[in-house]
Amino acid sequence: MFKSYGIIGWPLGHTMSPTLHNWGFGELGVDASYAAWPVSSGDLSSFMGQVRARPISGLSVTIPHKQAVMEHLDTISDRAAQVGAVNTLYWDGDTLCGENTDVIGFIAPLRSMAPLPDSALVLGAGGAARAAIVGLKELGVRRIGVSNRTRTKATFLAEEFGVNCIDWEKRMETPWTLVCNTTPLGMSGELEHLSPWDADRFTPGMTAYDIVYNPLETRFLHDADNAHCKTISGLEMFLHQGLAQFHLWTGLDMDEAGARQILLKALNS
Ligand code: ATR
């Protein structure tokens, strides 16, 4: 039976999710399609009625609905509850479930690191920072810090998750095994030339992880690479959050290397 999937958000700008999932359906012979549905906050309740009535077999959820959608679900995972946000809806029988695969996507490229990072600093204190902190805790990272331009937001997160709050002005003073950028610094556009980390403050053995994926090599990652540090691009998090969604919906695994190529092609087009 044909199945319908999609992404909701508002405004729903360009998204690579349809490219990824439709490629996966095609490759694995799944009779389904994935659409982009712009849904405003005022229309969320009626859309969620349609999700149950049609039914829609699975959804990706993006800004501004990641919190608001939770009240429309039958159950949410512990992981999504910790983050306080859901980015994936799927059915378990007649139960409409919420998961946060941003966390799964965030930790996927870190799982293959040997040894695993023993300390990590998260830069920023928005929704992506929350997913990163929950991921780092799930991974068992011993020492976690959070630093944000507006200190009160970092203090709030540090208290909620039991991690260290680091002054934004002092963020580069302590060595960290892993530094994760969750701010928009370095993103294509007017912030592209900026980095949250000075080029001469990378320390040996440090890994730089940017959740920004456009451009693929941000100023932060470029400077880290020049300093002979390991780098992880935001494309990895995007790819793996999508692979995890696809698995929840179909029980199947997309070919990771093929999916990465599809996304790289989409980014470069
Ligand atoms: P998301 O939910 O996607 O993580 P967000 O809630 O807008 O996005 O969070 C963006 C984060 O980047 C915030 O922590 C923000 O810091 P403030 O709390 O001070 O606003 C941070 N940020 C945005 N622009 C920044 C800049 N120019 N320099 C440093 N931090 C910045």
Side-chain angles (χ1 to χ4, degrees), residues 7 9-18 36-38 62-63:
I7 180 166
W10 187 271
L12 194 56
H14 177 71
T15 160
M16 294 194 296
S17 294
W37 291 309
T62 189
I63 293 166

Side-chain angles (χ1 to χ4, degrees), residues 6-261:
I7 180 166
I8 57 166
W10 187 271
L12 194 56
H14 177 71
T15 160
M16 294 194 296
S17 294
T19 305
L20 177 69
H21 293 295
N22 286 322
W23 178 81
F25 293 145
E27 283 292 300
L28 291 161
V30 180
D31 186 18
S33 79
Y34 183 106
W37 291 309
V39 172
S40 69
S41 293
D43 289 339
L44 181 64
S45 289
S46 71
F47 186 87
M48 290 309 297
Q50 286 183 47
V51 168
R52 289 179 188 272
R54 285 174 62 177
I56 289 168
S57 299
L59 267 188
S60 308
V61 180
T62 189
I63 293 166
H65 304 313
K66 286 185 178 186
Q67 288 89 33
V69 79
M70 292 196 287
E71 68 177 84
H72 298 281
L73 307 180
D74 300 324
T75 180
I76 63 168
S77 70
D78 289 348
R79 186 186 281 130
Q82 277 188 68
V83 182
V86 156
N87 81 324
T88 308
L89 270 55
Y90 67 99
W91 290 96
D92 179 6
D94 290 337
T95 306
L96 185 55
C97 311
E99 176 55 286
N100 191 310
T101 70
D102 288 334
V103 176
I104 301 171
F106 178 80
I107 52 182
L110 300 174
R111 283 200 190 280
S112 56
M113 285 175 73
L116 287 175
D118 68 349
S119 67
L121 177 64
V122 175
L123 302 172
R130 294 180 68 87
I133 293 170
V134 170
L136 292 167
K137 292 187 77 163
E138 191 171 321
L139 201 63
V141 175
R142 203 176 40 83
R143 188 165 61 91
I144 301 171
V146 57
S147 185
N148 191 51
R149 179 178 64 176
T150 308
R151 193 190 154 92
T152 45
K153 287 194 209 165
T155 315
F156 189 78
L157 278 197
E159 274 173 20
E160 181 177 352
F161 291 109
V163 301
N164 304 294
C165 179
I166 310 293
D167 272 352
W168 183 250
E169 293 71 28
K170 295 184 182 163
R171 67 194 182 282
M172 291 174 273
E173 289 180 8
T174 313
W176 299 88
T177 322
L178 178 70
V179 175
C180 310
N181 176 43
T182 75
T183 77
L185 293 171
M187 201 178 265
S188 143
E190 51 190 38
L191 301 177
E192 186 161 346
H193 63 292
L194 299 175
S195 167
W197 207 257
D198 294 345
D200 59 358
R201 299 304 289 270
F202 289 92
T203 48
M206 178 176 147
T207 296
Y209 188 170
D210 208 330
I211 69 153
V212 173
Y213 58 79
N214 193 8
L216 201 55
E217 188 185 61
T218 56
R219 172 91 188 269
F220 176 50
L221 296 189
H222 177 81
D223 292 346
D225 189 49
N226 274 348
H228 309 292
C229 290
K230 277 189 232 155
T231 62
I232 303 172
S233 90
L235 192 70
E236 292 304 309
M237 176 171 171
F238 182 81
L239 167 68
H240 287 282
Q241 64 78 30
L243 297 183
Q245 292 186 323
F246 194 86
H247 187 84
L248 282 171
W249 295 334
T250 64
L252 301 172
D253 291 315
M254 257 192 249
D255 172 56
E256 182 182 321
R260 186 178 288 106
Q261 286 311 314

